[in-house]
Amino acid sequence: MTPELARVIARLAAELPPGHIEAWAHVLHGRRAPGADLEARLIEAGPGFAAGVAAARLTKAWREAVPRPSGEAVALALETGAVLHARHAGHQTDVVVSGPLGDRPAVRLTAAVVTGIVRDSRSALLVVSFAAFGVSEVVRELKDAATRGVRIDLVLESPRREGGALRGTGAATAFTALRDSATFWTWPARHRPAADGSAAALHAKLVAADDRVAFLGSANLTDRALGDNIELGVIVRDPAAVRRMAGHFRGLMRPGQGPLEPVPR
């Protein structure tokens, strides 16, 4: 297969919907060469989605390929490319933002991402935040997740009077409705290093579900951070990376060894 034909197939495998790939593969099977009717047959099999331009690109590249592969080979390459693209897309990261959008709005919004991850969870949720306030929709989704049997661990910063870094109330106050259905974790002052009279802070922001998908970014779990502030983060769909993130906190939670401790109910 020539480099140009391979490039065209790879691009089409990424651009075409799965139904088009299947329909076009059916047309290609049994053809020894790209006949005069191929382009029309492809458009007929998968209309719309700029099908005319895509069909013309594939037909031209196949016709000019030297040596010229069979239709079965072209179909197999197209189907294989689609499978690999779908697998890769499933592990891709997306940009997540809060606040005003710029002139390139191909991003996800923080509030929608956080609630979506919680809503889609099935077995375990790890929520880590420095500050928390309001976020009634997130709390509601967490309560629904608990009702489904999802295990929820909330790792939250404490107020200064308890050795934390937050002024006023601690982040756990926002999740009072979950006191009986989630495990709250704290970083006690005795386990925190201090320098120049100031203790270290629990500053991470993470929402991870089922060791499968996670949101990692600058936004705290506050109404301002999820909606109005200029915040930036990513949604990670690589299970290996998510397992490492969650595993780091599980290590910090290890009884008798980690610095984090569960808050008694």
Side-chain angles (χ1 to χ4, degrees):
M1 188 172 294
T2 63
E4 178 59 24
L5 179 57
R7 281 192 289 269
V8 169
I9 289 175
R11 183 173 176 180
L12 292 178
E15 293 177 350
L16 293 174
H20 278 62
I21 298 291
E22 182 180 354
W24 282 24
H26 181 74
V27 171
L28 293 166
H29 277 294
R31 286 179 172 261
R32 298 181 59 185
D37 66 331
L38 176 62
E39 190 174 328
R41 290 286 306 279
L42 291 174
I43 295 172
E44 181 182 342
F49 199 78
V53 174
R57 290 198 335 245
L58 180 59
T59 301
K60 181 176 184 293
W62 186 18
R63 184 172 290 125
E64 295 177 353
V66 179
R68 183 182 295 160
S70 66
E72 282 83 358
V74 175
L76 178 60
L78 191 60
E79 291 172 315
T80 302
V83 169
L84 293 175
H85 173 73
R87 185 177 300 171
H88 174 67
H91 290 173
Q92 281 185 320
T93 58
D94 279 340
V95 176
V96 182
V97 302
S98 299
L101 297 178
D103 59 354
R104 297 182 179 181
V107 293
R108 304 281 301 279
L109 299 181
T110 306
V113 166
V114 170
T115 55
I117 289 176
V118 175
R119 185 180 302 124
D120 293 340
S121 63
R122 292 295 174 264
S123 60
L125 272 169
L126 171 64
V127 178
V128 185
S129 189
F130 172 72
F133 184 79
V135 293
S136 58
E137 187 175 357
V138 175
V139 173
R140 183 167 57 252
E141 292 293 348
L142 286 169
K143 290 179 66 177
D144 289 345
T147 301
R148 297 194 301 272
V150 176
R151 170 178 173 156
I152 301 173
D153 289 292
L154 297 170
V155 184
L156 305 165
E157 181 58 300
S158 305
R160 288 184 175 180
R161 66 177 181 274
E162 297 176 11
L166 281 177
R167 296 178 180 178
T169 60
T173 304
F175 303 100
T176 302
L178 294 161
R179 279 295 179 190
D180 296 328
S181 53
T183 301
F184 288 72
W185 295 83
T186 187
W187 190 10
R190 67 181 181 279
H191 293 323
R192 299 189 187 214
D196 300 326
S198 177
L202 196 166
H203 204 249
K205 294 94 175 178
L206 172 70
V207 179
D210 307 330
D211 283 353
R212 173 183 53 83
V213 60
F215 163 72
L216 180 69
S218 64
N220 285 300
L221 288 177
T222 68
D223 292 328
R224 282 286 191 185
L226 297 189
D228 300 325
N229 294 350
I230 293 180
E231 307 278 0
L232 182 66
V234 293
I235 180 170
V236 180
R237 299 188 185 89
D238 182 346
V242 176
R243 280 194 297 271
R244 289 196 294 272
M245 294 180 202
H248 171 67
F249 279 93
R250 291 191 189 107
L252 299 179
M253 297 171 179
R254 191 170 294 121
Q257 299 181 38
L260 299 182
E261 294 182 357
V263 177
R265 293 184 179 178

